[in-house]
Amino acid sequence: MKGLTYAFTAMMACGLVASGFTLPKTIQKSPSGAALSRTFSELFPQKSKLVEVAAASRFVTLRGHDDQVRLGQNGWIYLTQELRPQSEKVQHYQQHVQAIAKVKEQLKAQGTTLVVLIVPTKARIYPEHLPALLPTGYLQDGYQEVQNLLHQAGVQTIDALTPLLEAKESSKEPLYYLSDTHYNPLGAKVVADAAGAKLRTLFPDLPETRFNTTLKANLYERPGDLIGLMSLQHAPAGMRPKGDMQQDEETLAEESLNAGLLGDPTPGVVLTGSSYSLRANFYGRLQQASSTKIINLAREGSGFDGSLRTYLKNPEPYPEVLIWEFSERFLYLPLDEKSPGVARP
């Protein structure tokens, strides 16, 4: 009986720690509460390890997920935020378009053209692997609706949805990581090729540089960010979902075709964006596809416009082109003072 009690207590403790439990501040500030807080810290000094053990146990026994992650079919994992229908999505779309149009005018006054790249969610490209019985009707519109609104506002956009869907039809390999929210190197190349072609069409006089991409030799398993959200990124392979196999790429400049006497001309393109511009060699592939050097100012966790707002605080000299990349999922969220890193109209 004692053993059962101890095991139950340990499981409860792991559950509290894994759920992010901390003592309320009002309790922590009281004399008895301070002692209790110290006792809690002494009992659980290795919180991160307990979180991992609790998460691994939950996965092994229940094959479960947490509030941030949904386990799909055939080994696919999805971000819960991408799966929630939004009753006020049209209003949210319009708010985002107004904010983007304001930035477009601000940049236009400085001689810079804004180009918006919205990255489709994995759920939109691969709805067939979503959890069974999950409604997917909200995926039928949204992306194209925002594209149309941006065009009406005079904003240049790069359509990433069409080339991804076309590539999906012709490719036997997935374009997104199964265990991650982002596209993989193949998907990144598809989007980069479409973006590069659009840049060259709109801005044929951009300074030209040749780039070459090579594969690195090592092939390895890469547990994605969705496994990280489950606190299983360091768990043994049998106690977490399977990661993705990856072979890294490297893109390097070969030759500047119209460099000046003092070297390469100042790059005419700045890229602001989210982690999608930092993963899977998207940045390298974009430079290769557009045949021009690009300044990449994207930042992890920058949300809808975090990196853009940081750049606009000190943008000089303004480039000829500014690419604003962000994930489609941020369009579902309202623009208000509680949303960090948002350019509000």
Side-chain angles (χ1 to χ4, degrees):
M1 188 67 179
K2 271 187 180 180
L4 288 175
T5 303
Y6 179 82
F8 177 76
T9 304
M11 289 178 65
M12 290 293 291
C14 285
L16 287 172
V17 174
S19 64
F21 173 80
T22 56
L23 294 173
K25 290 183 178 180
T26 53
I27 296 179
Q28 292 181 30
K29 291 179 180 179
S30 67
S32 58
L36 183 59
S37 182
R38 286 194 302 271
T39 301
F40 187 82
S41 298
E42 291 169 2
L43 287 174
F44 308 114
Q46 297 182 350
K47 177 178 176 180
S48 61
K49 192 64 178 178
L50 282 174
V51 169
E52 180 181 310
V53 171
S57 300
R58 182 178 60 222
F59 177 75
V60 170
T61 57
L62 304 176
R63 293 293 166 181
H65 43 244
D66 62 20
D67 291 339
Q68 301 182 79
V69 170
R70 291 290 177 269
L71 299 181
Q73 305 175 62
N74 308 312
W76 287 72
I77 311 175
Y78 294 87
L79 185 67
T80 301
Q81 187 187 61
E82 297 181 357
L83 309 180
R84 292 173 177 163
Q86 300 293 324
S87 59
E88 299 178 345
K89 63 181 181 180
V90 174
Q91 176 186 347
H92 297 165
Y93 292 163
Q94 292 172 344
Q95 290 174 344
H96 283 80
V97 169
Q98 291 173 10
I100 293 170
K102 179 182 177 180
V103 173
K104 181 207 75 170
E105 292 301 323
Q106 177 183 345
L107 292 172
K108 183 179 178 181
Q110 302 297 329
T112 297
T113 300
L114 176 66
V115 180
V116 172
L117 168 59
I118 305 174
V119 180
T121 62
K122 182 167 70 173
R124 182 176 294 283
I125 304 299
Y126 290 99
E128 65 270 27
H129 301 294
L130 286 168
L133 305 179
L134 187 73
T136 59
Y138 64 95
L139 293 171
Q140 300 306 313
D141 51 18
Y143 188 94
Q144 192 56 53
E145 185 175 350
V146 173
Q147 291 276 332
N148 294 338
L149 289 172
L150 288 172
H151 292 164
Q152 293 172 16
V155 178
Q156 294 286 351
T157 67
I158 295 168
D159 175 18
L161 178 62
T162 301
L164 282 171
L165 291 177
E166 291 176 350
K168 176 187 173 183
E169 292 296 319
S170 60
S171 174
K172 295 181 181 179
E173 299 297 326
L175 305 173
Y176 281 65
Y177 293 115
L178 275 67
S179 67
D180 197 288
T181 53
H182 302 85
Y183 39 49
N184 60 25
L186 181 57
K189 181 181 183 302
V190 169
V191 177
D193 286 347
K198 184 66 175 284
L199 287 177
R200 272 295 156 196
T201 298
L202 293 175
F203 314 100
D205 296 328
L206 284 173
E208 294 186 57
T209 300
R210 289 197 183 104
F211 290 84
N212 182 50
T213 298
T214 57
L215 284 174
K216 295 186 176 180
N218 59 317
L219 183 68
Y220 62 96
E221 183 181 3
R222 176 187 178 275
D225 60 0
L226 295 174
I227 294 179
L229 287 176
M230 300 172 72
S231 301
L232 294 173
Q233 65 271 36
H234 301 301
M239 301 186 71
R240 59 166 170 77
K242 185 178 179 180
D244 295 89
M245 299 305 296
Q246 175 157 310
Q247 190 172 12
D248 290 334
E249 298 179 348
E250 184 177 34
T251 300
L252 298 174
E254 286 188 347
E255 177 187 358
S256 295
L257 303 182
N258 52 358
L261 295 177
L262 298 179
D264 292 343
T266 301
V269 183
V270 166
L271 171 63
T272 63
S274 67
S275 52
Y276 284 87
S277 292
L278 300 172
R279 307 283 178 85
N281 195 37
F282 171 77
Y283 170 53
R285 286 293 189 177
L286 178 60
Q287 291 190 107
Q288 183 172 351
S290 60
S291 297
T292 195
K293 290 185 176 180
I294 297 173
I295 298 175
N296 188 2
L297 301 179
R299 297 198 342 259
E300 290 276 356
S302 60
F304 170 56
D305 70 342
S307 61
L308 173 74
R309 286 168 64 84
T310 298
Y311 171 71
L312 291 180
K313 292 178 181 178
N314 186 26
E316 294 185 2
Y318 281 87
E320 181 178 350
V321 184
L322 189 143
I323 303 173
W324 180 0
E325 170 271 310
F326 56 86
S327 169
E328 174 192 357
R329 71 173 179 267
F330 296 115
L331 296 172
Y332 305 154
L333 305 176
L335 285 181
D336 56 34
E337 293 301 327
K338 296 179 181 178
S339 300
V342 169
R344 300 171 187 85

